[in-house]
Amino acid sequence: MESSKRSWAEPFKIKMVELLKMTTPQQRASAIKEAGYNTFLLKSEDVYIDLLTDSGTSAMSDRQWAGLMLGDEAYAGSRNFYTLEKAAKKYYGYKYLIPTHQGRGAENILSQVMIKKGDIIPGNMYFTTTRLHQELAGGTFVDVIVDEAHDPENLDPFKGNIDLEKLQAVIRKHGAQKIPYVCVAVTVNMAGGQPVSMQNMKALRALTNKHGIRIILDMTRIAENAYFIQQHEKGYSRKSIAAIVKDICSYTDGATFSAKKDALVNIGGFLAINDNDIYEEASNLVVVYEGLHTYGGLAGRDMEAMAIGIEESVHDEHIRARIGQVLYLGEQLQKAGIPIVLPVGGHGIFIDAKKFLPHVPQDKFPAQALAAELSAGRNARTGDHYYPKLELVRLTIPRRVYTQAHMDVIAESVARVYKRRKQVKGLEMIFEPKYLRFFQAKFRKL
Ligand code: PLI
């Protein structure tokens, strides 16, 4: 990995700025209390540096903004759909494309088309919406990520990999006919933005081919995953990000995509697939949930901006600067002694809340107490809280939005909380929504 020492700068200059509201500590304390200590319930104008997510929060380029003016807002057959389809084919290589309003729209349709009641869907950890859609379609998710993913200190460069022995055991236990596909996320969000190696993709393809099982990619952060392959995997240092991205896709049968991350747009996603029958069924279903198969819940202008963003997302200098900024923040936090997930992943820094707040028991939500992330929900049968092995607070960095000075302010703020960490006591949940509870749950300070 190249050093994140900033002797280089971003490959863009700033043409327009958005002014931030500067708040006092008192204003911030009252805002977070009012939000039930859930960062998802804060008003954005009360937040100075917003690290809640890298989803839909990127800055679009002047070319993307110009693309908005090329919107062809016809109901059917918008010109922008064909531009998007062409870009997706060029950079990802899949045969058929169905736009959706965002990633979970594609997950819903894919799950309904491919999963039958009683099916098993192995995956390298899960993203919340992906797993929920699999379960709502009658499937059961089984985690087959490598054990290293659960160890925040393990320095393996590819902690997102699928454990092929775990997968084989799942196939033996349930039979290949119960497994409609293996779901592979690149990178693995919940493990800390950890990448999957190309070697793992190849081995997974060989194993699934043997059993006639499909591979569906969650390609939400695929350009970032490609950067780690370029930096760390033998034989890839001279390959372009664009070539690596296309290589990854070539080992799979289809993909769901949230364009709100890598593709540098504020809204959008798609389902891509090579199989004609699945495409036919999905393009029929998308009309029910999203819109006609040539816009899928998006305006023409959104599809144009997405097409341009897809191309910009695979520029080598863009991804180097993007991940370089994340690495820089990681180094500043490490210098301050903050326990973070290592190696630093692609889209943010994940603070190890169990180590940061060792005195706060897990049923008092140390990660939530520390900031935001409450991810796992309850066991549907027993009603117990799921206790993830990792209890993490994510500082997610939007793309092309903040400067190095913002990174320094973040590092200083976290270091200040770390110094007074003994005063943090944990939280009690006082409101729990039925689905994806971390978005809307409310808490009380202990
Ligand atoms: O937020 P969506 O519906 O466009 O995409 C859902 C989604 C799918 N897969 C992965 C790996 C994600 O990270 C993801 C959304 N992530 C969000 C919202 C995040 O804050 O990380």
Side-chain angles (χ1 to χ4, degrees):
M1 174 65 67
E2 66 183 298
S3 162
S4 65
K5 216 172 97 204
R6 300 298 299 271
S7 52
W8 49 273
E10 285 74 8
F12 54 79
K13 56 185 176 176
I14 296 164
K15 181 145 37 188
M16 186 188 282
V17 296
E18 176 181 339
L19 300 186
L20 296 170
K21 184 172 112 183
M22 308 301 287
T23 51
T24 63
Q26 289 74 22
Q27 284 170 326
R28 292 195 293 275
S30 115
I32 189 72
K33 186 173 177 199
E34 204 177 304
Y37 297 96
N38 184 344
T39 50
F40 283 103
L41 300 179
L42 279 168
K43 289 191 189 116
S44 125
E45 64 169 13
D46 291 331
V47 180
Y48 169 41
I49 302 177
D50 187 348
L51 306 181
L52 182 67
T53 180
D54 63 328
S55 182
T57 53
S58 300
M60 293 208 296
S61 67
D62 52 355
R63 293 169 68 238
Q64 288 178 290
W65 279 102
L68 294 184
M69 293 306 294
L70 301 177
D72 168 10
E73 308 306 343
Y75 191 91
S78 160
R79 177 175 64 228
N80 314 113
F81 167 74
Y82 297 104
T83 309
L84 173 63
E85 189 183 48
K86 201 167 143 202
K89 198 166 278 177
K90 177 173 174 192
Y91 292 104
Y92 307 133
Y94 296 113
K95 228 163 154 180
Y96 303 107
L97 183 92
I98 299 173
T100 55
H101 77 285
Q102 57 183 81
R104 69 199 68 182
E107 291 166 355
N108 172 35
I109 289 159
L110 177 89
S111 301
Q112 290 208 39
V113 172
M114 292 190 72
I115 299 171
K116 292 188 306 299
K117 199 170 179 332
D119 278 352
I120 304 290
I121 300 93
N124 52 347
M125 233 175 234
Y126 60 90
F127 184 69
T128 47
T129 58
T130 322
R131 176 177 175 163
L132 182 60
H133 281 301
Q134 291 165 357
E135 290 174 351
L136 290 173
T140 302
F141 162 83
V142 179
D143 195 357
V144 292
I145 200 166
V146 292
D147 287 339
E148 288 84 345
H150 301 288
D151 176 1
E153 285 173 23
N154 187 303
L155 292 177
D156 190 294
F158 293 105
K159 281 158 69 169
N161 278 351
I162 299 253
D163 185 325
L164 296 171
E165 281 179 20
K166 283 188 197 170
L167 177 59
Q168 257 166 333
V170 174
I171 298 171
R172 265 198 309 275
K173 181 167 173 201
H174 300 279
Q177 70 286 354
K178 281 265 178 222
I179 303 173
Y181 60 91
V182 178
C183 183
V184 185
V186 287
T187 55
V188 183
N189 188 356
M190 309 286 276
Q194 303 297 326
V196 176
S197 73
M198 196 72 82
Q199 200 254 334
N200 193 244
M201 291 301 303
K202 288 182 195 171
L204 176 67
R205 180 74 281 178
L207 175 64
T208 50
N209 274 351
K210 218 168 71 187
H211 295 278
I213 298 172
R214 289 197 172 89
I215 302 174
I216 297 292
L217 202 58
D218 176 347
M219 60 184 290
T220 291
R221 294 181 182 86
I222 191 169
E224 292 173 5
N225 198 109
Y227 181 75
F228 289 109
I229 290 176
Q230 187 190 56
Q231 296 297 309
H232 295 302
E233 195 164 350
K234 213 167 149 233
Y236 289 92
S237 64
R238 287 165 180 278
K239 278 212 165 191
S240 66
I241 293 298
I244 297 171
V245 162
K246 203 156 179 186
D247 249 20
I248 297 172
C249 295
S250 76
Y251 294 109
T252 70
D253 301 289
T256 55
F257 186 49
S258 168
K260 300 172 73 173
K261 286 79 170 175
D262 259 10
L264 300 159
V265 284
N266 307 119
I267 195 72
F270 63 65
L271 166 62
I273 198 88
N274 290 333
D275 182 281
N276 182 261
D277 292 344
I278 297 174
Y279 167 71
E280 292 289 345
E281 217 176 316
S283 63
N284 192 223
L285 256 195
V286 78
V287 186
V288 180
Y289 292 102
E290 305 275 318
L292 197 67
H293 61 285
T294 52
Y295 76 86
L298 294 172
R301 56 180 174 272
D302 298 327
M303 294 190 279
E304 190 70 23
M306 198 202 298
I308 299 167
I310 286 171
E311 186 235 310
E312 291 179 2
S313 77
V314 298
H315 290 179
D316 283 63
E317 66 276 19
H318 156 71
I319 207 75
R320 172 173 179 253
R322 189 286 186 275
I323 295 186
Q325 186 177 49
V326 177
L327 294 178
Y328 174 80
L329 176 60
E331 280 185 8
Q332 301 314 304
L333 291 171
Q334 276 188 281
K335 275 186 208 155
I338 312 294
I340 62 173
V341 172
L342 295 172
V344 168
H347 63 303
I349 302 297
F350 290 65
I351 299 176
D352 186 340
K354 280 192 200 167
K355 286 217 192 77
F356 195 110
L357 300 173
H359 54 283
V360 177
Q362 220 174 346
D363 67 349
K364 301 294 179 287
F365 308 109
Q368 190 77 26
L370 190 50
E373 184 110 0
L374 208 196
S375 50
R378 285 179 191 266
N379 183 307
R381 197 170 41 80
T382 64
D384 293 339
H385 292 300
Y386 281 126
Y387 290 117
K389 286 186 195 147
L390 298 175
E391 186 74 33
L392 305 174
V393 173
R394 188 179 73 165
L395 308 178
T396 342
I397 313 297
R399 296 162 187 80
R400 309 194 292 205
V401 170
Y402 293 115
T403 66
Q404 185 165 334
H406 287 114
M407 297 303 117
D408 290 336
V409 169
I410 297 162
E412 287 159 20
S413 310
V414 176
R416 267 202 299 277
V417 176
Y418 193 55
K419 280 202 185 112
R420 59 168 183 78
R421 62 190 178 278
K422 295 227 165 68
Q423 290 152 256
V424 181
K425 300 288 183 238
L427 301 170
E428 178 191 12
M429 198 187 287
I430 52 174
F431 170 67
E432 181 178 357
K434 188 166 169 208
Y435 298 117
L436 302 177
R437 63 181 185 168
F438 55 92
F439 283 126
Q440 289 157 338
K442 289 203 169 186
F443 299 86
R444 191 173 63 77
K445 250 186 176 176
L446 291 172

